[in-house]
Every structure is written in C-alpha cells, then in structure tokens.
C-alpha cells in the first residue's frame, strides 16, 4: 500500500496574508467549503490573534466545516493559543498550530531570545495547547536556515511535550532539493522521538523550488505537506497544492504515495480562488494555467490528434477541466441553475438561490446565452459583496479628441443621495476623481486591469482595481458591458471593501 501524504492547506492563512489576496468572511467561507470538497486533510483557516476579523472568520469556518480538520495558527504565547482555541473549538476536528523561529538570524534579530529560551517557549506552548486538544502541530520557523542539531533538539522537546505533527518550514525559500532532502533525512534520524509524530514540510517559492523541495521532503520521510491553491502565499508564494498532488498522481509509478484529494476539484478550486481574489492565474502555470493543456505548435497538435499521450501526461478531465462549457439561457430551470452554481464551487442557501435565479432571469431576458463567467459575476455582485457604504446611482461621461473628459456621478453615500461633476485626463480618471471627491476618500490606485468576460462585442467588460487606503490593500471588481461603468463599479467596490476592512478592524498585527 502506498504511504499516505497528509495535505495541509494554508490558502486561507499563509495565502490570504499576502498582499492583494485578502478576502472577506463570506469569500473565505465559500473557499473553505470548496477545500472541503477538494478533500484536503487539514484546512488552516487563519491566524486568529491577528485581528478580530481573522478570529471571527476562523470561528465561522470551524463551525461550518465538518469532515476535515480545521487548524488555527498561534505564536507560542498563551494569548495567541487562547485566541486560536477560541476560534477553532467548535470544529469537528480542531488543530492548534503553534510556531517559533529557530534560526540564529531570527532568534537574534527578531525574537531577541537565546536557544534555551526558544526551547522553553516551545515546550510551554505545546503543553498549554495540549490542555485544549490532542491535535497540536509545532513549526520551527526558518527551520531550513537553522542549526540542524538545534532543530532536532527543539523538535524532540516539542514531541515530548505532546506535539503530534512537527513542521519543518523553508520560510524564505532558500533551500535547494538535494540539500532539503538531506535535512529532512537528518531530522528523521537525529530526533529521537520522531516516530511519535508526523514530520511535515512547508516550503516557500522564492527560488521557484517549492514543489521540488516538497517532493524531496516526501522522499526523505515527510508525510504531511503544507500547500496552497495556485501556490499563493507570502512573497513568491507557497508550494502549490495542485503541483504536488498531480506530481504524485501522474508519476505514481515512481512516487509511491497516495493522497485523498479529489483531483476533479482541483480546477474548480483554482478558478474559485482566482474569481474571489480577482487575481488571475498566470497562463503558463503548471496544472491550472490556461495554457497547461493547450497545444499550439503544429507538430504538437498533429501528435495529440493522432494520440493524446504524445504530448499529454495527464487528462484535463482528471483535474476537473471540462471540455464542454454549459451555456444557459432563459429556458434553463432553477434546478439546472443551482447545479451549475454548485459545479462552479458555490453551494448556496435557498434564499441566495432564489435571489440569484431572479437576477439570472432578468439577465437572460436581455442576452441569449449566459455562460459560467456571467453566473460568477452574479454571485460576486449579489452574494459575496460586502455591505455597501457607497452605491453608484448614475454615471454620465463625456470624452473625445476635442473635449475635457468630464464625469457626472450620482451616488448614495451612507443612505444620502449626492451628485457631482469632475474632470480628469481621461474618462476613467475623471470618473475616479469625482467618486473620490464625493466620498472624501484618499485611496491609492496600485493596479488597474480590464478584461472581457467572454468573446463578442456584447461581452461584459470586467475591471479589477488594486487599491490601498489606511495601510490596507484590497481589490475592487466591477462588470458591465460599458467599460467606464465597469471601472466605476470596480472603484466603488474597492472603496466599499476598504471601508468594511476598516470597520471590522481587519488591520493585522
Ligand atoms: O513560512 C513559515 O515559516 C510559516 C510558519 C508559520 C509555518 O508560515
Ligand atoms: Zn509560510
């Protein structure tokens, strides 16, 4: 029997804490349910002590997710562990994940602690966490740059204190595969009580080696891997879930390990994350990129037509990539509508379906064909959106070669209707300037991208803006057949999200 590899997903913690990927609670809940469908073994839902908003989101996920483990991250302090336990205690299978740095660089410059103090903090934290649950994971942050014997000493102390999973992170993505394999082997053979715990690896992708290092870790005895969907995470990201899982799947002849992942849910998970965050997957991304199964060169196309295995090492259907897109229209029934949403990763309540079905019918009256992207826009605009502080009521823009671009905007601002006109160097600049003036907000636009949801001139324009305000970053999204209106909607959506983040004190420690 192949050895089982435990898949620990940290998309909602390590992934979500990277700039631009912050999600609101409703979005996190949808993604958490999708990760449950994907059948990850452990879902790290967040860092509860980071902010009240994080605490609440982890608590709600822990209450909702029933079939897999839910972990909460904590430093080694009692306050952090209390917060983690407070947030996850209603989970069916809760796990406290506590960590402290073990490298000389981190201990000296960040923690200002010596080795003995780090061992004491580790033991105290694990023992304290054990009072709440048997399922305790300990991580040695910056493990790959730490003194090997010291890491083994800390790990052994953590295991004797009760840790059931021991995690070795390559926090700064510094390791290379042979060296990391050797380090994991060293830990396996020099930690006296390692047999009483599962050894885990957690790799970052700063040198593009996260997946290779993770596979090297498995080869040397790690039986848990910490990964994220689409490889999102701090800086260059974490090990990508889909790469590790599909490497084990496609190369099972060479890598005799099994996971419980439902591979058909890989693409829906990747797509849902991109949709929620508004950050697209790079086209050449392994497994889930738009080009991952596309064959452009004539010789390749010819080969694939003759026999797929000439250039394809896995079937697109294995990761849930459907060959045929389902097109819906005004004759589609409620049942088909609900099923389609479920396939796209949205398992919604009856009242949400009722609301969306009505909006779907309105859209279907105007357009002959409704595709998946249109349905996702409906979900984003009607279900996932944060409560609106600002609403767009009316927009009129004039621009051209011989006129100063001018925008006239009517908005509802905290319940009151207001109207103003303003100028800019282009129609979008004029619109954004006027909205900023009316709302009295001072955000910085970091990025602006425009895309079309489908082909054809009647396609919806989809605008994503990345914004910063009051030290927080967020994304705003807007869709409309008119790209200036789509831009205004995206900007206002970003302002609403910033206002919501501020109100819920999401700003992190
Ligand atoms: O990269 C890292 O070291 C971490 C730990 C908290 C596990 O994310
Ligand atoms: Zn990390």
């Amino acid at each position: 029997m192949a050895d089982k590899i435990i898949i620990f997903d940290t998309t909602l913690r390590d992934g979500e804490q990277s700039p631009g990927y912050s999600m609101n609670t409703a979005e996190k809940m949808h993604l958490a349910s999708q990760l449950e469908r994907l059948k990850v073994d452990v879902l790290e839902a967040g860092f509860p002590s980071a902010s009240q908003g994080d605490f609440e989101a982890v608590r709600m996920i822990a209450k909702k997710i029933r079939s897999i483990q839910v972990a909460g991250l904590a430093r080694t302090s009692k306050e952090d562990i209390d917060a983690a336990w407070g947030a996850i205690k209603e989970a069916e299978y809760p796990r406290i994940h506590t960590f402290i740095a073990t490298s000389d660089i981190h201990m000296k410059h960040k923690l200002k602690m010596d080795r003995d103090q780090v061992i004491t903090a580790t033991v105290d934290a694990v023992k304290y966490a054990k009072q709440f649950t048997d399922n305790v994971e300990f991580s040695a942050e910056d493990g790959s740059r730490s003194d090997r014997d010291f890491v083994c000493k800390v790990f052994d102390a953590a295991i004797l204190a009760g840790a059931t999973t021991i995690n070795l992170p390559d926090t700064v993505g510094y390791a290379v595969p042979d060296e990391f394999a050797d380090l994991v082997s060293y830990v396996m053979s020099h930690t006296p009580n390692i047999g009483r715990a599962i050894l885990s690896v957690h790799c970052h992708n700063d040198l593009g080696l996260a997946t290779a290092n993770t596979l090297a870790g498995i080869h040397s005895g790690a039986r848990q891997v910490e990964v994220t969907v689409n490889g999102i995470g701090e800086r260059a990201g974490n090990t990508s879930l889909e790469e590790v899982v599909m490497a084990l799947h496609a190369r099972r002849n060479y890598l005799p390990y099994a996971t419980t992942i439902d591979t058909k849910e890989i693409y829906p998970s990747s797509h849902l994350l991109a949709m929620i965050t508004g950050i697209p997957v790079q086209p050449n991304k392994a497994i889930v990129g738009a080009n991952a199964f596309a064959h452009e060169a004539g010789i390749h196309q010819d080969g694939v037509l003759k026999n797929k295995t000439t250039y394809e090492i896995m079937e697109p259907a294995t990761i849930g990539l459907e060959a045929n897109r389902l097109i819906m229209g005004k004759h589609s029934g409620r049942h088909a509508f609900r099923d389609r949403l479920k396939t796209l990763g949205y398992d919604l309540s009856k009242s949400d379906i009722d609301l969306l079905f009505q909006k779907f019918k309105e859209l279907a009256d105007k357009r002959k064909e409704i595709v998946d992207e249109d349905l996702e826009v409906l979900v984003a605009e009607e279900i996932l959106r944060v409560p609106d502080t600002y609403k767009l009521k009316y927009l009129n823009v004039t621009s051209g070669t011989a006129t100063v671009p001018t925008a006239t905007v009517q908005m509802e601002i905290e319940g009151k209707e207001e109207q103003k006109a303003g100028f800019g160097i282009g129609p979008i600049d004029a619109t954004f300037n006027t909205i900023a003036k009316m709302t009295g907000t001072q955000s910085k636009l970091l990025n602006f991208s425009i895309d079309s949801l489908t082909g054809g001139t009647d396609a919806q324009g989809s605008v994503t803006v990345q914004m910063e305000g009051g030290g927080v970053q967020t994304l705003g999204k807007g869709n409309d057949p008119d790209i200036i209106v789509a831009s205004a909607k995206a900007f206002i959506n970003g302002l609403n999200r910033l206002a919501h983040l501020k109100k819920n004190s999401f700003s992190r420690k």
Side-chain angles (χ1 to χ4, degrees):
M1 261 262 289
D3 268 12
K4 154 133 178 147
I5 303 298
I6 297 166
I7 303 293
F8 177 111
D9 180 276
T10 184
T11 309
L12 285 167
R13 198 280 297 169
D14 215 328
E16 201 265 346
Q17 78 192 33
S18 54
Y21 283 96
S22 66
M23 299 170 219
N24 65 40
T25 305
E27 291 167 338
K28 288 182 186 176
M29 304 273 287
H30 279 291
L31 194 59
S33 294
Q34 177 57 33
L35 293 170
E36 191 176 27
R37 276 193 288 280
L38 178 62
K39 295 196 170 64
V40 303
D41 296 282
V42 188
L43 183 167
E44 187 164 52
F47 188 8
S49 71
S51 76
Q52 192 53 35
D54 284 44
F55 178 92
E56 271 313 312
V58 176
R59 199 176 67 80
M60 289 179 70
I61 291 169
K63 269 175 90 164
K64 185 164 187 206
I65 300 301
R66 297 332 289 165
S67 66
I68 56 174
Q69 297 178 47
V70 177
L73 184 69
R75 287 165 292 196
T76 48
S77 69
K78 284 189 173 165
E79 297 74 33
D80 266 37
I81 295 169
D82 284 340
W85 179 245
I88 60 166
K89 64 181 176 205
E90 289 182 75
E92 191 71 34
Y93 309 106
R95 173 184 289 197
I96 296 176
H97 177 193
T98 184
F99 74 98
I100 192 164
T102 51
S103 67
D104 289 334
I105 305 174
H106 278 234
M107 288 189 291
K108 178 168 175 222
H109 299 289
K110 188 182 82 174
L111 299 176
K112 308 207 185 308
M113 288 165 83
D114 64 24
R115 291 186 176 191
D116 286 344
Q117 287 170 315
V118 166
I119 292 192
T120 304
T122 300
V123 170
D124 289 351
V126 173
K127 282 190 174 157
Y128 189 66
K130 275 300 254 201
Q131 295 181 332
F132 301 117
T133 172
D134 264 351
N135 190 355
V136 175
E137 170 169 341
F138 169 76
S139 286
E141 191 191 9
D142 207 17
S144 61
R145 291 195 302 167
S146 304
D147 176 83
R148 291 179 165 205
D149 290 316
F150 180 57
V151 169
C152 295
K153 206 168 156 189
V154 178
F155 279 173
D156 211 50
I159 294 168
L160 292 174
T164 43
T165 302
I166 292 294
N167 181 37
L168 180 65
D170 180 26
T171 302
V172 290
Y174 181 72
V176 293
D178 286 355
E179 177 198 35
F180 197 62
D182 189 51
L183 175 61
V184 173
S185 294
Y186 192 88
V187 168
M188 288 296 289
S189 55
H190 289 76
T191 307
N193 291 287
I194 196 72
R196 289 164 56 178
I198 298 281
L199 182 63
S200 165
V201 288
H202 172 118
C203 300
H204 281 267
N205 203 30
D206 299 65
L207 295 173
L209 294 171
T211 299
N213 285 335
T214 298
L215 293 177
I218 292 175
H219 181 72
S220 294
R223 289 296 174 264
Q224 173 179 287
V225 293
E226 303 203 347
V227 292
T228 61
V229 174
N230 295 345
I232 71 168
E234 287 282 0
R235 307 178 310 279
N238 286 65
T239 306
S240 128
L241 178 148
E242 58 276 9
E243 290 175 16
V244 173
V245 169
M246 289 312 291
L248 297 182
H249 184 88
R251 298 304 318 275
R252 52 194 179 277
N253 57 340
Y254 185 74
L255 300 165
Y257 308 102
T259 72
T260 47
I261 292 292
D262 179 355
T263 59
K264 287 205 163 45
E265 294 295 340
I266 286 181
Y267 183 74
S269 307
S270 160
H271 184 67
L272 181 67
L273 176 65
M275 183 66 206
I276 284 177
T277 58
I279 302 183
V281 175
Q282 78 192 58
N284 62 330
K285 166 80 178 65
I287 319 293
V288 291
N291 296 345
F293 291 94
H295 304 280
E296 185 64 30
I299 296 174
H300 290 209
Q301 287 178 349
D302 182 52
V304 169
L305 285 173
K306 287 176 176 145
N307 186 318
K308 277 199 240 165
T309 57
T310 50
Y311 287 99
E312 250 175 42
I313 58 163
M314 47 200 155
E315 295 260 350
T318 313
I319 62 153
L321 199 60
E322 291 176 36
N324 300 315
R325 288 159 60 84
L326 198 73
I327 294 176
M328 305 191 80
K330 65 177 172 191
H331 300 300
S332 305
R334 181 185 296 262
H335 194 71
F337 177 73
R338 200 198 45 219
D339 274 5
R340 192 65 205 151
L341 285 173
K342 211 164 171 185
T343 309
L344 294 173
Y346 302 101
D347 199 0
L348 301 169
S349 68
K350 185 177 173 310
S351 59
D352 284 346
I353 295 283
D354 288 347
L355 170 78
L356 286 180
F357 192 62
Q358 188 197 326
K359 298 277 171 193
F360 163 73
K361 285 285 172 185
E362 286 167 18
L363 191 63
D365 273 341
K366 288 189 221 148
R367 300 195 20 212
K368 226 171 78 206
E369 291 182 344
I370 309 285
V371 294
D372 289 348
E373 286 81 355
D374 295 306
L375 297 185
E376 290 182 317
V377 167
L378 285 181
V379 177
E381 295 203 337
E382 303 299 332
I383 308 293
L384 296 179
R385 67 184 308 141
V386 297
D388 284 348
T389 309
Y390 314 112
K391 280 189 192 143
L392 181 67
K393 296 299 238 184
Y394 166 90
L395 174 67
N396 183 44
V397 181
T398 48
S399 71
T401 48
T403 181
V404 179
T406 309
T408 307
V409 184
Q410 210 180 71
M411 289 180 74
E412 191 182 300
I413 301 177
E414 295 186 67
K416 265 181 50 200
E417 294 230 344
E418 285 187 33
Q419 180 166 320
K420 262 198 174 68
F423 311 107
I425 52 167
I428 293 176
D429 190 44
T431 306
F432 285 12
N433 286 346
T434 313
I435 293 169
K437 214 180 339 157
M438 291 174 76
T439 53
T441 50
Q442 280 187 332
S443 57
K444 197 164 142 198
L445 189 66
L446 303 174
N447 218 330
F448 175 94
S449 68
I450 187 157
D451 212 344
S452 97
L453 278 184
T454 51
T457 47
D458 69 342
Q460 302 214 54
S462 177
V463 173
T464 304
V465 291
Q466 193 183 0
M467 308 165 53
E468 190 189 310
V472 212
Q473 275 190 25
T474 195
L475 289 171
K477 285 168 272 176
N479 302 283
D480 199 275
D482 180 319
I483 54 171
I484 310 289
V485 177
S487 306
K489 283 183 178 174
F491 189 58
I492 292 172
N493 178 239
L495 292 179
N496 277 322
R497 289 176 72 99
L498 285 177
H500 182 72
L501 290 172
K502 223 158 117 195
K503 228 182 262 165
N504 289 281
S505 60
F506 263 84
S507 56
R508 291 181 166 144
K509 283 179 192 166

